[in-house]
Amino acid sequence: MAEQTTITIEDKGVRKLIEGLIKNVGKITQREKSYVGLLSSIVLGDVVDHFAKEEGPEGKWKPWSNRYRKYMTSIGKGGNLILSNTGKLRQGWQPARYRLVNDGILWFNPVEYAAQHDQGIFPYPQRKFTWISKTATSEMERQTALFIEDIK
């Protein structure tokens, strides 16, 4: 037989928040997709910005090797941005490509070589693009606070 525990919360503010969450649980479920969609737009906008600025959390990406630069120039793509040869890597980021996991939301890129570039797995030098900037993190925190406030 399962034991049952009763918890009494004395703090009126915490009690009000929990009561609001319980009362509005249906609204939360209905709003989940909108909320995750909003966060997705922030995350994906940030990742696309990393491609445009060619930078990781510690600064500029490692430049092309001389050999690769010569190759790209020979095929008429010498002016391309790093990691933008075909566009597949950047286009692999889509708002619907996420999973809800135990500790949050996991956005993913299905392009087979995405992790190799991001983590620097041979033969690719590391060029981190799957990181969240302080600006994007702050906006996600702000939107989360608004979401929570709205359900009270």
Side-chain angles (χ1 to χ4, degrees):
M1 189 184 235
E3 288 187 39
Q4 198 170 12
T5 303
T6 302
I7 299 172
T8 303
I9 299 172
E10 299 295 329
D11 183 284
K12 289 180 184 178
V14 173
R15 193 169 53 220
K16 182 179 176 185
L17 173 64
I18 292 171
E19 287 169 357
L21 288 172
I22 292 168
K23 178 182 168 189
N24 293 301
V25 75
K27 290 181 186 176
I28 294 169
T29 304
Q30 293 168 357
R31 295 179 62 226
E32 181 180 280
K33 283 190 177 184
S34 297
Y35 172 66
V36 173
L38 176 61
L39 294 184
S40 292
S41 69
I42 296 166
V43 168
L44 299 181
D46 200 44
V47 169
V48 167
D49 191 50
H50 303 325
F51 278 91
K53 292 179 179 176
E54 301 182 315
E55 67 181 9
E58 278 104 42
K60 288 289 187 186
W61 287 339
K62 184 176 181 177
W64 286 339
S65 66
N66 288 334
R67 181 175 164 190
Y68 192 72
R69 179 180 275 95
K70 286 178 187 175
Y71 166 73
M72 291 297 280
T73 301
S74 74
I75 62 170
K77 295 184 176 185
N80 277 20
L81 294 174
I82 297 171
L83 300 184
S84 297
N85 182 22
T86 64
K88 287 181 186 177
L89 192 57
R90 190 175 121 175
Q91 292 167 7
W93 292 102
Q94 298 292 323
R97 291 189 176 139
Y98 70 87
R99 289 185 201 106
L100 299 179
V101 293
N102 289 340
D103 58 348
I105 304 165
L106 172 68
W107 286 273
F108 64 92
N109 186 326
V111 175
E112 62 188 48
Y113 49 87
Q116 291 173 297
H117 278 293
D118 193 58
Q119 298 169 22
I121 299 169
F122 185 79
Y124 303 103
Q126 185 175 33
R127 295 185 176 113
K128 290 192 78 54
F129 53 84
T130 58
W131 59 282
I132 307 299
S133 68
K134 288 180 183 177
T135 303
T137 300
S138 294
E139 182 60 14
M140 290 172 74
E141 289 169 353
R142 189 177 82 76
Q143 292 299 332
T144 299
L146 290 171
F147 178 77
I148 291 169
E149 183 65 31
D150 192 42
I151 60 174
K152 284 184 182 178

